[in-house]
Amino acid sequence: MIGIVLLGPPGVGKGTQAARLKEALALAHLSTGDVLRQAVRDGSPLGARVKAVMESGSLVPDALVGEVVESALSVLARSSGTPAGTGAAPSGFLLDGFPRTVGQVAILDEVLARTGLTLDHVVLLDAPRDVVLRRLTGRRVCGSCGALYHVDSKKPGKAGTCDACGNPIVQRPDDSEESVARRLTVYQDETAPLAAEYGRRGILRTVDGSGDPEAVFARLLSAVGGALV
Ligand code: AMP
């Protein structure tokens, strides 16, 4: 089982690249941001706890996201005994948006030790600040199914309407200029230092996240060993 963490500033394209990598390598993909947004949409107790924090662009408490990750990786570890060739078990995991703090690195270490899973690559997807700013403030999303759009590069067929499900396209509350500034500051202060830690462990791969998504994906694939399954 291969284990991959995708690190990088908000807006660098982690979600887009994670979806491709998941397909290419048959991975179980966990985006903590997606799980928390879904909880907010569902109005679950978790969603009610994190809604205001998320909209402000701050991080939710380590213990809460830790529980989300622990439960997903435990399920995966149990499924890894599925007989080969049945197509039922993923070939590894891809964490996108976790860990994001030094405390979450420790939580992940504990979960991996408990489940027997290993982390092979931490990919830092990086791009200049002006590139991520434009990607974030121009990003739009379907409020219903979560499909992604962009005012410059990925417009829907009919303005304001999701191509996939026909529901309205909106701006994420945390993509407002104020929240974006906060998220970039939080990234610099809390998350950027993780690269040094994983560098010391010898598993950090840095990938240029600017430019065409196809080219970024080719670089990403070669950083994690490149073999398609
Ligand atoms: P993302 O889609 O990864 O940018 O996440 C959106 C928001 O969800 C973040 O700004 C945080 O409020 C919250 N979030 C997602 N992942 C984490 C995490 N690992 N730790 C703390 N908060 C998180």
Side-chain angles (χ1 to χ4, degrees), residues 17-189:
Q17 296 298 333
R20 288 173 177 230
L21 201 57
K22 170 196 165 157
E23 282 300 308
L25 301 182
L27 303 173
H29 170 215
L30 177 68
S31 156
T32 45
D34 283 350
V35 170
L36 296 174
R37 270 185 294 280
Q38 188 61 50
V40 171
R41 278 198 290 268
D42 293 346
S44 72
L46 173 65
R49 268 190 83 177
V50 301
K51 185 172 190 283
V53 179
M54 287 180 75
E55 290 183 358
S56 74
S58 299
L59 296 180
V60 310
D62 286 352
L64 277 186
V65 266
E67 279 173 28
V68 168
V69 172
E70 162 128 45
S71 106
L73 289 185
S74 302
V75 169
L76 178 70
R78 283 196 296 272
S79 80
S80 66
T82 309
T86 61
S91 64
F93 66 87
L94 173 60
L95 296 180
D96 156 13
F98 183 95
R100 246 165 149 119
T101 65
V102 171
Q104 291 178 19
V105 171
I107 291 174
L108 180 58
D109 287 343
E110 282 166 26
V111 172
L112 294 174
R114 251 199 309 277
T115 52
L117 297 169
T118 53
L119 180 56
D120 302 286
H121 307 284
V122 174
V123 180
L124 172 62
L125 205 56
D126 218 354
R129 186 184 163 89
D130 58 328
V131 172
V132 297
L133 257 182
R134 184 63 199 149
R135 284 190 187 162
L136 283 173
T137 54
R139 178 161 67 181
R140 299 292 181 269
V141 57
C142 172
S144 177
C145 76
L148 289 172
Y149 298 89
H150 195 280
V151 294
D152 299 329
S153 53
K154 193 164 184 270
K155 299 177 185 168
K158 183 170 169 233
T161 305
C162 179
D163 293 340
C165 73
N167 284 299
I169 292 171
V170 296
Q171 184 175 42
R172 262 170 55 173
D174 61 346
D175 282 345
S176 67
E177 269 183 49
E178 196 190 350
S179 291
V180 163
R182 167 102 194 113
R183 288 162 70 202
L184 289 173
T185 302
V186 168
Y187 175 77
Q188 276 314 323
D189 294 350

